[in-house]
Amino acid sequence: DFFLATTWAPLNGVGRAELYLAAVGAGKLGEDSYPLIPVAQLIKTGEFQYGKILVRGAEATADIPPSDICTIGENALISLSSVVRKLSRKYTKDITVSAEINSIQDLVRTPADERALLTLLILREGTRTSSPLIPYIMTFLLSAHEHIPSAWDHTSADGAARRAGLVNVDGGAALIMAADVLRKAIAKDYNELAPRAIEKLPRLLGLTGPDIV
């Protein structure tokens, strides 16, 4: 079952990427992912030689002519609307949660609200044993924070160490400064949205009900 967290948890990053591409390429992640099938069939993931080191990445399995065009619809990507659509299908028989999902359009007032709520929903779905978002979360987000400076908390030992590693890198100080500005803006967005989201979506966010976080 590709929507169970336990299917992905034992795998490393390369293994998760390979499983994701195999599942998408075989059309196993639902109709929303069908536009990704030709893309998945053209990509091979793994560790590749780059100079004297191995780097994790992807390469094409065949030459791609410049004239080839692949159109990927919004439903195949991760956005607030596509996530809401997936959750609506999952909870179609749960009247309470369905009502909360239907209220999301009134909750989102700005693009900042949209980004913050999308993050909250993804974080929530990532705590479930099963979710339509599990393949995406486990493949792309499980260790993403390790490579995003704005996600490094300077008050934690790990975050402080990662920030210190950038100090002597060319442009590192400027990158840390920009990351701090972004982190502050993100925190502001969350602080403004979270109280309203908690009030409107207690079941969906796992604050009440049978599956409290």
Side-chain angles (χ1 to χ4, degrees):
D1 187 333
F2 295 112
F3 301 104
L4 288 175
T6 52
T7 300
W8 305 82
L11 306 175
N12 61 18
V14 172
R16 291 193 298 271
E18 290 176 344
L19 179 60
Y20 182 85
L21 287 175
V24 171
K28 299 294 186 181
L29 297 187
E31 62 183 45
D32 286 347
S33 69
Y34 289 172
L36 295 174
I37 291 176
V39 178
Q41 293 175 341
L42 276 174
I43 297 175
K44 176 185 177 183
T45 61
E47 292 183 332
F48 306 97
Q49 197 71 36
Y50 184 77
K52 296 183 179 180
I53 62 174
L54 284 175
V55 296
R56 196 172 79 191
E59 66 179 6
T61 58
D63 291 335
I64 305 174
S67 59
D68 279 11
I69 298 175
C70 180
T71 302
I72 300 174
E74 181 192 4
N75 289 354
L77 305 175
I78 293 296
S79 65
L80 182 60
S81 60
S82 67
V83 167
V84 167
R85 202 158 26 246
K86 287 179 172 64
L87 296 179
S88 294
R89 287 198 294 262
K90 177 180 179 179
Y91 294 109
T92 184
K93 295 181 179 179
D94 189 318
I95 297 175
T96 302
V97 177
S98 291
E100 291 185 3
I101 292 173
N102 290 335
S103 74
I104 285 177
Q105 60 183 345
D106 297 324
L107 183 61
V108 176
R109 303 169 182 169
T110 66
D113 284 348
E114 184 171 337
R115 292 190 296 270
L117 182 56
L118 174 60
T119 302
L120 286 175
L121 292 175
I122 288 175
L123 287 171
R124 168 55 179 138
E125 292 303 301
T127 67
R128 298 187 189 278
T129 57
S130 177
S131 168
L133 300 182
I134 285 294
Y136 174 84
I137 292 170
M138 297 298 283
T139 303
F140 299 106
L141 302 183
L142 194 59
S143 303
H145 66 282
E146 297 176 2
H147 312 289
I148 304 175
S150 59
W152 300 344
D153 182 0
H154 69 279
T155 64
S156 71
D158 180 67
R162 291 181 183 278
R163 290 165 61 93
L166 285 179
V167 171
N168 296 321
V169 176
D170 186 29
L175 178 58
I176 291 175
M177 186 178 300
D180 287 343
V181 172
L182 178 58
R183 185 180 178 88
K184 184 176 180 180
I186 291 172
K188 177 177 177 292
D189 293 342
Y190 288 158
N191 289 337
E192 291 179 354
L193 175 77
R196 291 188 284 120
I198 290 171
E199 179 184 359
K200 291 281 189 180
L201 314 172
R203 279 285 300 277
L204 189 59
L205 294 178
L207 301 170
T208 62
D211 53 354
I212 296 176
V213 177

